[in-house]
Amino acid sequence: MAGAFAAAGGNPGGNQGGGNPVLRVPPASPAAAAAYFGASLAFHADVSDVASALAAGGDPGFLVVDTRSTASWDQGHIPGAVHLPTALIPEQAQALLDTSVPVVTYCWGPGCNGATRAALALAQLGFQVKEMLGGFEYWVREGFAYETWEGRERQAPDALTAPVDAGAVDCGC
């Protein structure tokens, strides 16, 4: 049977992937994967975790910073966030933020690296910083409240991004 598998293009002697695009480059060792994914969690937070920490009441231990323009901020932002556009970080961060309090940056969404640029600028100034994956787009898509220049709003959760069951505490991941 192994010979037939090998003749059909399989690789019975190992899991190197052959023509399989997923395994063409083999997965990292478990130790390397643990180091990489552990480091990733040190640099990133997701929308649900940020929302959960903010909703718990009291001091969440971090400050959320919206790094977009004033027009974008007015269009909608996370309640309680500090507005600090990326371009203004070098001049204003020290006056608006405390270096002893970790910062979570966000921008528009996964297609925008503004929060990454802001996180870099803040780190270079001595701030502990994480980037919120998904940005404002996923905050809204997951059904969390946001503020606009007209007041507070909320949209129903998008079934592709969050549980739509009103009783769901979290996504289970």
Side-chain angles (χ1 to χ4, degrees):
M1 186 74 157
F5 181 73
N11 187 358
N15 201 8
Q16 300 304 309
N20 177 337
V22 173
L23 299 176
R24 193 170 295 137
V25 173
S29 71
Y36 171 84
F37 292 116
S40 178
L41 292 172
F43 297 110
H44 301 108
D46 73 17
V47 167
S48 294
D49 288 344
V50 171
S52 176
L54 294 176
D59 180 5
F62 61 89
L63 188 62
V64 179
V65 175
D66 184 314
T67 67
R68 300 171 301 146
S69 69
T70 299
S72 298
W73 167 268
D74 289 346
Q75 190 172 324
H77 57 271
I78 295 173
V82 171
H83 184 223
L84 180 57
T86 301
L88 300 178
I89 288 173
E91 298 87 36
Q92 296 183 5
Q94 298 291 350
L96 292 174
L97 308 173
D98 180 346
T99 56
S100 69
V101 177
V103 174
V104 176
T105 62
Y106 75 91
C107 200
W108 272 112
C112 174
N113 67 0
T116 306
R117 288 192 309 270
L120 172 60
L122 289 165
Q124 289 172 331
L125 291 173
F127 290 90
Q128 293 179 322
V129 62
K130 288 189 174 200
E131 177 185 10
M132 186 177 79
L133 298 175
F136 184 68
E137 175 189 351
Y138 275 73
W139 184 272
V140 173
R141 288 182 74 185
E142 291 191 25
F144 300 116
Y146 59 97
E147 295 176 339
T148 72
W149 64 274
E150 295 177 313
R152 195 170 275 232
E153 298 185 27
R154 173 181 246 133
Q155 294 182 10
D158 179 336
L160 295 176
T161 65
V164 294
D165 176 10
V169 175
D170 63 33
C171 67
C173 59

